[in-house]
Amino acid sequence: MNVERLAIAPVKGMRLVGADELQIDANGARGDRAFCVVDAATKLQLTTRTPRLLQVEPHWDGTTLTLRFPDGREVSEEPSRGARATTGNYSNRPIHGRLVGGALSDAVAEHLGRDVRLFARDAGERLADDAPVSLMSGASLTALAPALDGSVPD
């Protein structure tokens, strides 16, 4: 098997970030979906209903989270983990963690124009939808091309 590209999403729903290598455990790639965005009722904000999330490029080094917004502005700090909370994935599987306060959540709320906060999942929890790791072959990407106006996704 030849792996051509690796990527993670440090914040679920935001842009993918390339990686040179991944450490994989039972919960998936370390750093992948370490955070998500929730509303005031701790409901997970889905990209399909919140497409502006894809405009934000996150970087997570395990200590500091940096968010780069489309206007070039960056917000970077150690996430301030606050109150315990629970959200749910697409199938409402409970995911436990903590709400994140501070400049990071404020910047995401400002970008989306509504009351949202970052949510940091607890260790041992996973925000992945179905399985901890997804692999996509080149042949599968090529097979998707007709449904995508003939262009092969990268």
Side-chain angles (χ1 to χ4, degrees):
M1 174 179 6
N2 181 31
V3 176
E4 293 185 21
R5 208 170 313 164
L6 300 171
I8 63 169
V11 181
K12 182 174 177 58
M14 292 184 183
R15 292 177 61 184
L16 291 175
V17 178
D20 293 329
E21 63 182 32
L22 297 175
Q23 295 178 347
I24 298 175
D25 60 26
N27 294 308
R30 288 200 188 143
D32 187 46
R33 296 172 178 94
F35 303 90
C36 66
V37 178
V38 297
D39 67 12
T42 70
K43 184 175 180 181
L44 176 66
Q45 299 302 284
L46 307 176
T47 305
T48 54
R49 295 189 185 127
T50 315
R52 289 178 52 95
L53 282 173
L54 288 168
Q55 296 175 329
V56 183
E57 184 179 334
H59 293 278
W60 170 240
D61 66 9
T63 302
T64 301
L65 179 63
T66 301
L67 302 177
R68 181 177 301 127
F69 294 88
D71 62 4
R73 180 175 54 112
E74 283 190 5
V75 177
S76 184
E77 68 180 10
E78 184 174 338
S80 171
R81 288 174 165 85
R84 296 206 54 71
T86 300
T87 190
N89 72 346
Y90 295 110
S91 61
N92 291 319
R93 176 179 49 82
I95 301 165
H96 306 288
R98 294 190 175 270
L99 296 173
V100 175
L104 292 165
S105 283
D106 291 346
V108 174
E110 180 183 331
H111 176 69
L112 297 179
R114 61 180 191 252
D115 185 19
V116 296
R117 295 184 72 181
L118 287 170
F119 174 94
R121 66 173 168 80
D122 286 345
E125 295 280 347
R126 64 181 170 84
L127 276 162
D129 306 324
D130 300 316
V133 177
S134 298
L135 299 175
M136 180 72 69
S137 71
S140 294
L141 291 171
T142 300
L144 285 173
L148 300 171
D149 297 326
S151 61
V152 176
D154 61 356

